[in-house]
Amino acid sequence: MTTLTPVLTKTWDQPDSFTLAGYEREGGYRTLRRALDMEPDDIVQTVKDSGLRGRGGAGFPTGMKWGFLPPDSPNPRYLVVNADESEPGTCKDIPLMMANPHVLVEGVIISSYAIRSNHAFIYVRGEVLHVIRRLQAAVAEAYEAGYLGKDILGSGYDLELVVHTGAGAYICGEETALLDSLEGYRGQPRLKPPFPAVAGLYGGPTVINNVESIASVPSIVENGADWFTSMGTEKSAGFGIFSLSGHVTRPGQYEAPLGITLRELLDMAGGIRAGHRLKFWTPGGSSTPIFTDEHLDVPLDFESVGAAGSMLGTRALQIFDETVCVVRAVLRWSEFYAHESCGKCTPCREGTYWYKQMLKRLEAGQGSEEDLETLLDLSDNILGRSFCALGDGATSPVVSSIKLFRDEYVQHFERGRCPFDPAESTLWAGA
Amino acid sequence: MTDQQTYQITRRTAAEYDPEVRARLERDAKEIIARYPKPRSALLPMLHLVQSVDGHITQAGIDFCAEMLDITSAQVTGVATFYTQYKKAPVGEYHVGVCINTLCAVMGGDQIWEELSAHVGVGHDEATEDGKVSLERIECNAACDFAPVMTVNWEFFDNMTPEKAKELVDDLRAGKQVLPSRGPGRLCTWKEASRVLAGFPDGLAHEGVQAGPESLRGLELARERGWTAPSADADHEQSHEPVQAGEVSDPPPNEPGKPIGGDVKPGSQEGRNQ
């Protein structure tokens, strides 16, 4: 049986966990002192050896990303933390930064030192006011304590860290759109190559990492790569925060080794809400193809979820029981993608618009069998043809739901209406 | 953003601030600009800043940002209209968001929106006549374990119901004290919130809970059952080779002239994350 492994969440039950005093009491910033005595390249090697893979969804090895920085670029290097957590269902970085912003700050300092950057940014979404306050306060406390600024702890190493607030755009979670936004432009993705490692922020070599990835760095440097790989699976090492939401008895954050299954997590969370059964779920946010109760035992690691036809994504486990209409769910996600499409490329901009139109009709019971074929054909023209992953992600719920729940789409137009009652899905249903 | 909305920025005849406001704005703007290696990076925080004065994006605010950054007003407008937090028209002193993304909608967000909107008598991105309250259908706000979720001036209100939502807005309109689920001991106004977003702390960071009950569920279970992460000095049975570049297939690099996403068979999930 897999058990939980609180590392990042370990101090969250301390009322002052977000303060410098609370963080230092639990050993915070101790690793920073050690790290500043290490060779930067040794830290990069430790992170490489740990097998840490990006926790923002794509799962690219973090140490390898750092290794892509050209050794001899004349431009300054930057570290940018992607704290624009907006993927539907994803809700791990926000509580992390609210309860323990200092572990992120310490991770930023160690990581910046490792990649020889003297300027770092945390790009946080703008709709989370209290989290922004906590980040601002943590950064101010770190400056005050001499962990940021000039000659950090007498090491001769300088680092400036800026908390930068976004303004409401899902697309800015895409790393190159984030860079454009951070430079003061509309958040639209850039053509790659060049990759940010070569030409990123202000054209300089740039590393962009997710909050949870950077927050994992202090514990890896402190405890070693072997410690990290003792958790998780061979190719998906370590721990991660799994976020359970929806129709489960105890929704919340569960930090566990990668490779845990939904069955195990549901056991811990008290199961599906009383009197109901699992219908469908997302393994890693709305951009990952949906799963059903047939996938309860798929190990939640990058390889196994991929082999089962979806993606681990952000471990955003949105759980829907049998009262939920899958067409309604997919329509709403499609409306989201249409709203958030940046408009730069035609397949995504037009494709998500037509998704919305067709799914509205289908949900209202006015569609036809032909609409399903058109939806799939349209998906063919979005996936792999969009400028960035937003378009690809938009196809996931549509294609996977038609594959798994075609009958339910058919029922809608055969009956001329949606066969479900939304009132039965609510938090207060049966109350 | 590609919604068929036309952003009509209210044009003032004299798009100028009075000298006192202007002096304060200039001082703040210079402080923001100084944070960045290049001035234009200051644009997003500066738009939050002018919103903290005007309540929404005005022509005066746009012209001010353009002048401070030495770019055109059209360039500023292009940015301001891209992001949903910059408002084309005045919002209420308390801007109320109801999450209507799939999970919250299913858990009751749709019913909350319908009942609340009817109760208040305003629709999406509209404000009441007294200027106290405005409503917005918001997208996922990264609090799904607290669904259905609402926000007021971007503070979290968790586990909402239609009744609680209506009471909340009634209290806001009546000037009663309302407290967020995970936030400080007082609710700041829309303009005050905008100033924090511009990067000027309001000193309230230490107030409120460190975490909501849902955030602690895994940790509490681990404590109850004595589960911990392995200790650093324990013998580790597993010794893995780190994952190599060739073993990772996502995200595929985008190459000019080839479909973005690599050689993915269109319409399938093949080639992704195997």
Side-chain angles (χ1 to χ4, degrees):
Chain A
M1 188 190 67
T2 315
T3 58
L4 297 176
T5 50
V7 177
L8 297 173
T9 57
K10 196 173 137 192
T11 62
W12 289 9
D13 57 350
Q14 306 297 309
D16 63 347
S17 63
F18 56 89
T19 65
L20 179 65
Y23 185 61
E24 289 189 321
R25 190 179 61 234
E26 303 288 333
Y29 290 108
R30 195 174 58 196
T31 314
L32 172 65
R33 290 171 195 276
R34 265 182 61 184
L36 292 173
D37 281 335
M38 292 169 72
E39 281 300 316
D41 288 348
D42 291 344
I43 301 175
V44 175
Q45 193 57 45
T46 301
V47 173
K48 275 185 184 169
D49 291 346
S50 77
L52 172 66
R53 294 174 63 175
R55 298 298 193 235
F60 196 82
T62 304
M64 198 181 299
K65 210 175 195 180
W66 295 3
F68 287 155
L69 291 171
D72 49 2
S73 168
N75 298 320
R77 297 170 162 212
Y78 298 102
L79 175 73
V80 179
V81 176
N82 186 343
D84 193 49
E85 183 169 64
S86 310
E87 168 76 11
T90 309
C91 50
K92 61 187 181 68
D93 297 339
I94 293 302
L96 191 159
M97 293 185 288
M98 186 178 278
N100 194 358
H102 279 288
V103 74
L104 176 62
V105 174
E106 185 176 11
V108 167
I109 306 167
I110 296 172
S111 306
S112 300
Y113 174 75
I115 64 165
R116 298 182 165 88
S117 164
N118 301 108
H119 215 136
F121 297 86
I122 299 173
Y123 184 108
V124 59
R125 66 180 299 184
E127 304 99 321
V128 289
L129 189 61
H130 208 46
V131 171
I132 293 163
R133 286 195 192 96
R134 292 266 161 95
L135 283 173
Q136 290 170 341
V139 169
E141 282 182 312
Y143 268 104
E144 186 86 1
Y147 299 142
L148 283 170
K150 296 276 176 211
D151 189 22
I152 295 169
L153 299 173
S155 64
Y157 172 63
D158 306 335
L159 179 65
E160 299 298 329
L161 173 56
V162 176
V163 177
H164 181 92
T165 302
Y170 167 65
I171 186 62
C172 293
E174 198 282 337
E175 60 179 15
T176 60
L178 186 152
L179 292 178
D180 263 27
S181 180
L182 181 51
E183 289 185 8
Y185 296 86
R186 297 162 75 94
Q188 293 189 316
R190 299 175 180 176
L191 191 65
K192 295 189 274 193
F195 288 90
V198 175
L201 188 64
Y202 313 122
T206 303
V207 166
I208 306 162
N209 285 140
N210 168 259
V211 168
E212 200 185 349
S213 311
I214 291 293
S216 298
V217 168
S219 62
I220 291 171
V221 173
E222 177 70 22
N223 300 312
D226 286 350
W227 168 79
F228 194 72
T229 57
S230 75
M231 291 171 269
T233 68
E234 191 180 342
K235 289 187 177 142
S236 298
F239 49 83
I241 302 174
F242 291 80
S243 310
L244 273 87
S245 62
H247 293 134
V248 334
T249 307
R250 288 188 293 276
Q253 307 301 324
Y254 296 80
E255 192 175 6
L258 302 191
I260 195 171
T261 65
L262 181 63
R263 190 185 299 281
E264 291 172 315
L265 284 164
L266 277 177
D267 276 348
M268 296 176 190
I272 300 292
R273 66 173 176 159
H276 295 274
R277 59 184 170 75
L278 176 62
K279 181 175 176 182
F280 64 98
W281 56 290
T282 65
S286 60
S287 302
T288 61
I290 57 172
F291 274 170
T292 64
D293 58 357
E294 282 176 25
H295 303 93
L296 273 166
D297 296 310
V298 172
L300 296 173
D301 59 63
F302 292 103
E303 288 68 32
S304 306
V305 179
S310 187
M311 290 174 275
L312 183 63
T314 51
R315 288 152 278 122
L317 306 159
Q318 306 175 88
I319 312 291
F320 300 93
D321 71 17
E322 84 290 349
T323 64
V324 182
C325 171
V326 78
V327 182
R328 176 187 176 208
V330 173
L331 164 63
R332 191 57 61 86
W333 279 322
S334 297
E335 288 176 328
F336 165 75
Y337 289 109
H339 181 255
E340 299 298 333
S341 174
C342 78
K344 180 164 180 159
C345 76
T346 309
C348 174
R349 183 187 64 242
E350 301 301 317
T352 54
Y353 171 81
W354 284 107
Y355 269 169
K356 200 169 76 170
Q357 305 307 313
M358 276 191 288
L359 284 160
K360 260 186 196 164
R361 188 163 75 184
L362 281 162
E363 204 236 356
Q366 292 154 3
S368 67
E369 191 94 39
E370 197 189 343
D371 285 342
L372 299 183
E373 296 317 310
T374 310
L375 277 174
L376 291 174
D377 184 48
L378 180 57
S379 303
D380 279 355
N381 284 300
I382 301 173
L383 182 67
R385 291 181 165 81
S386 299
F387 201 86
C388 80
L390 190 149
D392 292 348
T395 67
S396 291
V398 175
V399 175
S400 61
S401 66
I402 294 177
K403 189 171 136 203
L404 296 166
F405 294 99
R406 195 181 183 99
D407 287 353
E408 199 164 306
Y409 280 92
V410 173
Q411 273 180 34
H412 277 73
F413 51 75
E414 280 186 353
R415 295 189 191 190
R417 63 177 176 82
C418 175
F420 292 87
D421 176 7
E424 289 179 14
S425 306
T426 60
L427 188 65
W428 47 87
Chain B
M1 268 143 288
T2 52
D3 274 3
Q4 318 284 302
Q5 298 176 352
T6 30
Y7 283 87
Q8 291 178 339
I9 307 295
T10 328
R11 180 170 283 281
R12 291 190 197 164
T13 40
E16 289 274 329
Y17 291 103
D18 71 59
E20 199 186 316
V21 174
R22 163 92 195 188
R24 208 173 63 227
L25 275 174
E26 261 187 42
R27 195 185 61 224
D28 289 342
K30 281 177 185 161
E31 190 181 324
I32 296 172
I33 292 167
R35 289 179 205 148
Y36 298 95
K38 298 213 172 163
R40 178 142 181 181
S41 281
L43 182 52
L44 266 67
M46 279 173 63
L47 285 165
H48 285 304
L49 177 71
V50 294
Q51 213 161 234
S52 77
V53 171
D54 297 324
H56 68 293
I57 301 297
T58 64
Q59 192 62 44
I62 287 172
D63 293 347
F64 171 77
C65 291
E67 191 192 323
M68 294 299 292
L69 297 173
D70 199 19
I71 55 179
T72 66
S73 293
Q75 286 171 314
V76 176
T77 306
V79 172
T81 52
F82 185 83
Y83 297 92
T84 47
Q85 280 185 286
Y86 302 132
K87 298 301 177 190
K88 58 180 173 164
V91 294
E93 190 179 344
Y94 298 100
H95 184 62
V96 177
V98 180
C99 178
I100 48 75
N101 202 296
T102 300
L103 190 114
C104 274
V106 161
M107 298 301 286
D110 275 353
Q111 191 184 330
I112 292 176
W113 171 263
E114 278 161 31
E115 292 194 24
L116 187 63
S117 179
H119 181 73
V120 185
V122 301
H124 172 66
D125 254 348
E126 289 174 5
T128 53
E129 273 182 24
D130 60 7
K132 271 282 187 196
V133 166
S134 49
L135 300 186
E136 180 179 348
R137 292 164 64 85
I138 60 169
E139 296 297 355
C140 185
N141 219 53
C144 315
D145 42 346
F146 301 96
V149 170
M150 286 179 59
T151 58
V152 179
N153 295 341
W154 313 120
E155 306 277 18
F156 286 113
F157 287 77
D158 301 334
N159 298 309
M160 294 301 286
T161 64
E163 287 66 39
K164 279 156 82 175
K166 284 181 272 189
E167 195 186 325
L168 166 68
V169 170
D170 287 347
D171 285 351
L172 289 171
R173 297 188 77 178
K176 284 191 201 163
Q177 167 115 303
V178 165
L179 292 182
S181 315
R182 289 171 290 145
R186 74 176 183 89
L187 193 61
C188 59
T189 64
W190 168 259
K191 289 182 180 178
E192 288 168 341
S194 299
R195 189 167 169 81
V196 177
L197 300 185
F200 297 97
D202 58 6
L204 301 178
H206 63 287
E207 294 186 7
V209 295
Q210 82 287 1
E214 282 78 351
S215 306
L216 298 176
R217 285 213 165 118
L219 178 62
E220 281 167 357
L221 185 72
R223 293 222 195 285
E224 197 182 299
R225 303 204 178 162
W227 294 339
T228 57
S231 62
D233 42 10
D235 282 337
H236 304 304
E237 286 176 22
Q238 290 170 285
S239 178
H240 303 308
E241 288 302 307
V243 65
Q244 298 300 313
E247 296 172 325
V248 183
S249 60
D250 54 332
N254 295 341
E255 291 176 47
K258 289 192 178 173
I260 288 156
D263 293 324
V264 179
K265 187 180 155 214
S268 76
Q269 295 295 333
E270 286 171 28
R272 307 183 67 181
N273 207 337
Q274 288 179 346

